[in-house]
Structure formats: C-alpha cells, structure tokens
RNA sequence: CCUGCUGUAGCUCAGCUGGUAGAGCGCCUGACUGUGGAUCAGGAGGCCUCCGGUUCGAACCCGGACGGUGGGACCA
C-alpha cells in the first residue's frame, strides 16, 4: 500500500479552510437576509433521482461518480408501491447510487419528495405549487475526464434557490443576492460583474430563423457559450464548416447555412463590449424581431432593469450581456453569471484570468423530471473553491490561518500549571494548546509554533514559577522584526516580556487585539 | 478522448556530442542562548518514473506504458 489520495481530489490546509468558511458564513448571512433557510441533503442519492443520467452498468458514467448499492431494495412502480411478480413476490434490485454533481438536483428531489403524496392525491395543481426557498452548501462531485489545476473532482458550492415562484422579480433578486454576497465576502465593486441574459430571447430568435428542434438549439447554444473564449469569426466557423485550432486540433462545425449563421453572428456581434443596461435593451428591441417568446424574454429583462435601477444596482454591479447563454441545457429563462474581472500572476509568472465565479438561472422544467408536473424555479450558486482562489491569488486574504497560542512545555512537573493557564485562556475566548510533541527542545517548540503561525508563546519554567511570573513571547511581532534585526539579544528583548502571573490573560489579549 | 511540451533529492531545477549525479531552498545535528528569524559549522537524502530495445557501457538515443503540464473536444 502506498499512501496517496485519489486523482483529482485534494487535501485542504487550515488557511484555505478558513477562507472557505468565511465565504460560507458571509454568503449565508446575505442569503438569509433575503428569506432563504438552510437545508442540507446527503451527498449520495439514487441515480434516477438526480436527473436523467442513468448509468447502465456499474462504472462511472457521463461525469458522475456512480456505483451499484450493495443493498438489495424493492423496485418501485410509478405509484410508489413495490413492484411484484406473478407470484406476488417483490422485485428486488441493487439500485444505482450517485454522488451529487450539484446542489440543484437534490433540491428538486427534496421538493418533489415533500410534494409527492399530495401530488398523487391531486392536492397540488400546476401553477399553484407551494413556494420553497432554501440555501445549501457543501461538496459536490464530478468525474472530470481531464483533471486540471484549479478544477477538482470534489468542490464546494453555496446555492440559493426559489421553487414555486414565477415572478421575474425572483430572478432579479438572484442577481442582487449574488452581488451583495460577493461584496460581503470582500470583493470590491470594480472587481466583478454579474451578467444577465434571457434564454427566451435567444430561443425565440432562433425560432424566428426557423430552428425549432430543441437538440439543434442546444448545439447552437453550446457554441455561443464559447463567446467569451473565442473570437466572433472563430465562432462563425464553428457554426458553419468548423475550424482548425492553433494547437492543431480540428473542431467540427455544426454545418449551418449562412442564412442561419449571419443573423446569429450579427446579433452577437452587436454586443461586443458591455455598455449600459438601457442601451442594451434598446439595441435588443431593434434586433430581436417579433417572435412572441423573444419578446417575452426581452420584457422580462426590462422588468429586471426596472428594479435594479430603482434600488441603485448600477451597471458596474449587474449588467446585461446578450452573448451569455451558459452551458446547461435546463435553463428556460433568465440566466446569470458573475465573473471576476481580476487577473493574477501564477507561480511561474504567467498571467491568469479568473473568469466565472457564480452561475445560475431559471429552470422551470427541472422538478417536472421527478414529479411530472411543471414547477417554476430559479436560483444561483457561488463556486466556493474558485472564489477562495480569487481571494488568495489577489492577496485579499491570507493563505495561512492564524494558529493558537502555544504554551511551551518546559517541565512535566509544571503540567498542572500549564493546564490551568490553558483553561484561563480558553475561558477568555483565546485558542491555545500545550505542546505535547516528542521533541521538547525549546527550539523545536518555537519552531512548531512558527510553522503553525501561532501569535503568542507562553513560557514558564522553574525561574518564572519561582518569581510568580510568566514569559510571554510575541511571535507575530518577532516575525515582523526578524528581517530588520540581526542581533539575537535585541530581538529577544523587544519581542518578549515577563508579566506577573495574574496579568497573563489581559496581556495576551492586548497583544492579539 | 485528441494534441504540443515534460518526468533527475521533500520542492524548484542544472547535468555539454552516451563513460553509472549536482546546486539552491527545505529537512536533520550543533554553535551564538532554557528562545522561531538571521548568521556560522557539519550531516542525511536519488533503482535519474516504469518496462523493453540499441550499445562494451544509457539519466542522456529509440519504442511503449504511466504520471505532470499547456491547448482543444466534452461538461448533464
């Protein structure tokens, strides 16, 4: 056996962990302020409850980690009752289980499950389904074929969703929430923008060009989704005959005719740089044609702009981007995406862009997969790991967590005294630990404290005990001074202090304040 | 899955046209001192990713496998 971790997964150090926890607590606060309550669901679900992806053997399939349950369970019929054979014996099966690949699919399951009985009794009717608002965070899993840096097979998201509300105001709120949350987390107003578009517009526009086929529409949407990565002319080629990639690869085109390509490219080309919401709306008004669905989508954007403007969310925070479509097929209305506008230099000095950190939209069809009844839903999600990278790489957050106060172990005989001190510090709300390591040289203990980024070390040996004092060493200050002072004695004098035993807690507090 | 580059100490990398290994950082021991950093003196650590081939001889050349990395396809 060789100790190693599974490919595509990672361990998290205290620094990263702390940043992620802060993101979660700040975002949660904002979500709560809009009326969302916290729910959690298991990481493991029946594969068929997560959506349409059913693995047909016990291997990993289509980006989802799946396996067969070791447990035999009854097969259920569409009425929810056990399926039985002619002899009246229940069919048993090892069901397919999947690790959740996002938090939206489990939400749909929770909602559908709660409603299932009522639905069977016809006590819920379409268009009148109850409203449910929840937020949720936790790890999700994807079987990425290619494991790339900054992209893992397990990562965390923090979602909020509203189910059962059709009002486009909920979509507008989603954008405001994203903006508020990002700022609460510490992003400055200039460093990000929430982009908004509406699928209905594009859908309707394509329909007016004669594209009715849903599969065809999805193909086109996937190409348009690359708009932020490739140039307009490259995009044009992908819609048509395909193109050759710089690295030599051949990309197959969709083979559309130029009568179709031209109007699509024209529409996208009209919105290269984001301007004001009002001007985007005005341009769309002229370009979008008179398809009913497209008009409906545009009307929704007008409505969204109305609230945003009324509440003072300027273009720098939330803007319209008609080229935004997002890859997911299940979106049916407004879609949003928050992008970080910052870049940073990686370890090799190479400039890196950060890109998308949040995404979401309206998905009115998702619950229908499980319940057979259309229920409107909308929501969005912040990518916690990606955002943590932003905070670390732009230097806005420290990559190393602050450690506890370390009580140095001089002498076993003094253990009870150390314990008493530890207790006092903890009662005062100060994290601390006593050194229990095997190598007890003072040098080792302080070096341990240094690595753990401890702010303070407390030293009590026989000398201190006899005098009724403790030596308090300010490690954080020492770290600062280490570059400017080379004299050991001077360094020591400036960094540590003997205080009377009774003043210990107060003194430590004053250092850490 | 396709494609370019790459694989040498814990990490970052040197290693000329084939002659069986080097630096910096880190780590360990000690000195200054019951005291992190700095400084100084020592030390440990490598089947040169793996398997096969060419050769008297391979870290180096050739083939393959497997990792890493940069593009791309895919991403419900």
């Amino acid at each position: 056996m060789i100790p190693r971790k599974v490919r595509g997964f990672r361990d998290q150090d205290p620094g990263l962990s702390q940043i992620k926890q802060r993101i979660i607590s700040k975002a949660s606060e904002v979500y709560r302020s809009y009326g969302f309550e916290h729910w959690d669901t298991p990481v493991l679900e029946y594969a068929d409850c997560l959506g349409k992806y059913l693995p047909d053997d016990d291997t990993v399939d289509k980006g989802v980690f799946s396996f067969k349950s070791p447990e035999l369970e009854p097969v259920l019929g569409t009425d929810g009752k056990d399926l039985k054979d002619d002899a009246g014996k229940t069919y048993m099966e090892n069901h397919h289980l999947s690790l959740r690949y996002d938090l939206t699919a489990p939400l749909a399951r929770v909602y559908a499950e709660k409603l299932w009985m009522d639905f069977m009794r016809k006590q819920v009717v379409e268009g009148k389904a109850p409203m449910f608002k929840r937020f949720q965070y936790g790890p999700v899993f994807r079987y990425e074929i290619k494991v790339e840096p900054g992209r893992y097979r397990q990562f965390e998201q923090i979602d909020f969703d509203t189910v059962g509300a059709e009002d486009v105001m909920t979509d507008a709120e989603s954008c405001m929430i994203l903006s508020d949350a990002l700022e609460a987390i510490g992003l400055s107003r200039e460093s990000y923008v929430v982009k908004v578009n509406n699928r209905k517009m594009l859908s309707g526009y394509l329909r007016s060009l004669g594209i009715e086929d849903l599969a065809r529409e999805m193909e086109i949407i996937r190409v348009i989704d690359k708009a932020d990565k490739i140039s307009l002319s490259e995009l044009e080629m992908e819609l048509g005959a395909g193109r050759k990639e710089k690295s030599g690869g051949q990309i197959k085109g969709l083979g559309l005719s130029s009568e179709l390509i031209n109007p699509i490219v024209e529409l996208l080309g009209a919105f290269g740089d984001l301007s004001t919401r009002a001007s985007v709306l005005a341009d769309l008004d002229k370009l979008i044609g008179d398809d009913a669905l497209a008009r409906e989508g545009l009307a929704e954007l007008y409505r969204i702009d109305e609230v945003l403007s009324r509440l003072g969310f300027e273009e720098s925070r939330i803007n319209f981007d008609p080229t935004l479509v997002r890859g997911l097929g299940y979106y049916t209305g407004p879609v949003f995406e928050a992008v970080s506008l910052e870049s940073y230099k990686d370890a090799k000095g190479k400039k890196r862009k950060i890109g998308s950190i949040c995404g979401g939209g309206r998905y009115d069809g998702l619950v229908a997969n499980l319940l057979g009844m259309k229920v409107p839903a909308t929501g969005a999600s912040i990518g916690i790991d990606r955002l943590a990278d932003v905070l670390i790489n732009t230097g806005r957050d420290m990559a190393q967590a602050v450690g506890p106060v370390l009580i140095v172990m001089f002498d076993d005989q003094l253990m009870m005294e150390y314990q008493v001190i530890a207790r006092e510090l903890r009662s005062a709300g100060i994290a601390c630990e006593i050194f229990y390591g095997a190598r007890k040289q003072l040098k080792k203990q302080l070096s341990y404290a240094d690595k753990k980024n401890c702010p303070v070390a407390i030293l009590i040996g026989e000398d201190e005990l006899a005098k009724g004092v403790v030596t308090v060493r300010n490690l954080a200050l020492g770290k600062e001074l280490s570059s400017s002072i080379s004299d050991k004695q001077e360094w020591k004098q400036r960094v540590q202090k003997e205080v009377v035993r009774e003043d210990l807690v107060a003194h430590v507090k004053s250092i850490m304040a």
Side-chain angles (χ1 to χ4, degrees):
Chain A
M1 190 276 293
I2 292 143
R4 68 209 166 118
K5 58 181 161 289
V6 179
R7 213 169 111 79
F9 289 74
R10 66 168 169 172
D11 299 317
Q12 237 175 74
D13 65 28
L16 179 59
S17 173
Q18 183 177 280
I19 292 168
K20 287 172 72 169
Q21 275 177 26
R22 235 201 56 229
I23 292 172
I24 290 168
S25 82
K26 293 288 180 190
S28 298
E29 238 172 80
V30 172
Y31 293 180
R32 263 201 202 93
S33 77
Y34 280 83
F36 294 84
E37 291 180 302
H38 181 54
W39 278 74
D40 208 353
T41 66
V43 292
L44 204 57
E45 297 272 0
Y46 289 109
D48 55 358
C49 287
L50 282 184
K52 44 190 162 170
Y53 284 80
L54 301 171
D56 34 20
D57 51 17
D58 17 292
T59 59
V60 169
D61 190 55
K62 297 251 185 188
V64 185
F65 281 103
S66 296
F67 56 92
K68 262 191 174 165
S69 169
E71 184 180 32
L72 274 175
E73 292 174 273
V75 178
L76 304 179
T78 46
D79 57 357
K81 293 186 177 140
D82 294 5
L83 225 52
K84 297 194 191 321
D85 63 15
D86 295 341
K89 209 179 147 208
T90 303
Y91 280 115
M92 299 294 273
E93 199 177 273
N94 298 95
H95 289 74
H96 279 292
L97 303 178
S98 295
L99 290 173
R100 63 185 182 200
Y101 49 80
D102 70 11
L103 297 176
T104 313
L107 163 70
R109 192 223 82 215
V110 168
Y111 184 85
E113 194 175 338
K114 280 156 64 91
L115 233 59
W116 169 254
M117 261 306 149
D118 294 344
F119 177 72
M120 290 306 279
R121 293 186 190 122
K122 301 206 165 28
Q123 288 170 349
V124 235
V125 287
E126 195 158 293
K128 298 248 168 92
M131 187 167 79
F132 179 58
K133 293 170 73 163
R134 69 91 248 235
F135 76 93
Q136 180 175 356
Y137 54 88
V140 300
F141 304 83
R142 287 184 200 179
Y143 177 64
E144 302 283 355
I145 311 277
K146 181 187 180 182
V147 178
E148 34 186 313
R151 200 169 171 185
Y152 301 92
R153 286 172 165 180
Q154 176 187 340
F155 56 97
E156 288 183 72
Q157 301 187 318
I158 177 159
D159 279 43
F160 60 90
D161 295 86
T162 305
V163 185
E166 217 160 7
D167 200 317
V168 71
M169 281 300 114
T170 52
D171 298 295
E173 274 194 16
S174 292
C175 301
M176 297 190 267
I177 291 168
L178 285 179
S179 173
D180 283 348
L182 289 176
E183 290 183 13
I185 288 160
L187 293 197
S188 65
R189 195 153 289 186
E190 309 75 46
S191 71
Y192 77 93
V193 65
V194 179
K195 300 199 277 190
V196 189
N197 193 21
N198 199 326
R199 272 284 175 82
K200 286 181 188 170
M201 257 173 4
L202 191 65
S203 233
Y205 186 67
L206 291 177
R207 205 169 68 179
S208 71
L209 296 176
I211 295 168
E212 309 269 355
D213 182 34
L214 197 68
R216 200 60 172 165
E217 185 188 324
M218 281 317 301
E219 285 176 352
I220 296 170
I221 278 178
R222 272 196 273 273
V223 173
I224 295 176
D225 192 32
K226 299 181 183 178
D228 56 339
K229 276 177 86 177
I230 62 178
S231 74
L232 202 61
S233 59
E234 286 171 319
L235 203 140
E236 189 175 345
M237 284 187 270
E238 284 204 33
L239 288 171
R243 68 187 175 93
K244 240 226 189 97
E245 176 52 36
K246 283 192 285 287
S247 62
Q250 184 66 36
I251 296 167
K252 225 174 73 188
L254 296 181
L256 301 184
S257 68
S258 52
E259 290 88 72
L260 281 174
I261 297 174
N262 291 340
I264 294 174
V265 171
E266 191 190 340
L267 180 72
L268 297 177
F271 302 97
D273 292 307
L274 298 186
S275 51
T276 63
R277 286 196 298 258
S279 72
V280 172
L281 289 174
D283 287 346
L284 280 170
D285 215 343
K286 277 178 263 165
L287 282 162
I288 205 71
D290 49 11
D291 179 87
L293 188 62
R295 283 284 147 193
E296 188 184 322
L298 183 59
E300 288 177 357
L301 288 188
Y302 268 105
R303 188 89 170 118
I304 288 172
D305 175 54
E306 192 186 341
V307 220
L308 294 179
S309 298
R310 178 63 195 271
L311 298 184
F313 283 85
E314 319 85 346
E315 274 87 2
S316 62
R317 300 176 75 180
I318 303 172
N319 209 338
F320 292 141
D321 180 359
T323 64
L324 172 74
V325 293
R326 296 194 54 75
L328 274 72
Y330 61 58
Y331 289 125
T332 54
V335 288
F336 0 98
E337 179 169 286
V339 292
S340 168
L341 303 173
E342 293 181 291
S343 58
Y344 64 96
K345 292 217 169 87
D346 68 10
K348 294 197 169 119
K350 202 176 163 190
K351 204 171 170 196
R352 299 268 182 181
K353 273 195 200 158
I354 293 162
S356 169
I357 45 183
C358 310
R362 177 164 286 278
Y363 49 98
D364 288 346
L366 201 63
V367 175
N369 292 339
L370 297 166
L371 209 55
M373 180 178 85
K374 204 180 145 195
V375 180
T378 183
S381 173
I382 298 178
I384 296 176
D385 295 76
R386 185 77 69 93
L387 191 52
D389 283 350
V390 175
L391 295 175
I392 293 167
N393 289 322
T394 59
R396 208 172 282 108
D397 224 317
M398 283 189 300
Q400 195 183 6
V402 174
V405 168
L406 183 78
I407 299 171
V408 171
M409 170 93 111
F410 265 104
D411 186 348
D412 250 337
Q413 301 297 114
L414 301 177
M415 179 53 85
M416 288 309 124
E417 178 65 4
Y418 300 149
Q419 287 291 352
V420 169
I421 289 172
R423 191 78 193 155
E424 283 174 22
L425 287 168
R426 289 182 193 126
S427 302
I430 298 166
C432 68
E433 69 170 294
I434 300 166
F435 187 87
Y436 293 125
R439 297 195 295 177
K440 298 209 192 321
Q441 302 98 301
L442 193 42
K443 210 173 165 55
K444 294 287 164 227
Q445 299 198 38
L446 287 168
S447 161
Y448 169 83
D450 187 46
K451 272 180 203 140
K452 215 163 159 176
N453 203 22
C454 296
V456 170
I458 291 168
L459 301 88
I460 306 175
E462 288 162 16
D463 303 354
E464 282 86 356
L465 196 71
K467 284 200 273 182
V469 300
V470 295
T471 299
V472 178
R473 188 174 174 85
N474 189 337
L475 297 175
L477 179 64
K479 198 171 257 179
E480 261 178 60
L481 261 41
S482 72
S483 53
S484 57
I485 295 180
S486 59
D487 181 70
K488 204 98 189 169
Q489 282 307 320
E490 189 193 347
W491 193 44
K492 189 170 152 181
Q493 266 171 18
R494 291 183 56 180
V495 156
Q496 69 183 33
K497 198 176 171 186
E498 270 188 8
V499 299
V500 295
R501 173 67 183 79
E502 288 71 32
D503 295 344
L504 170 65
V505 171
H507 185 66
V508 171
K509 259 190 172 163
S510 75
I511 288 176
M512 292 178 64

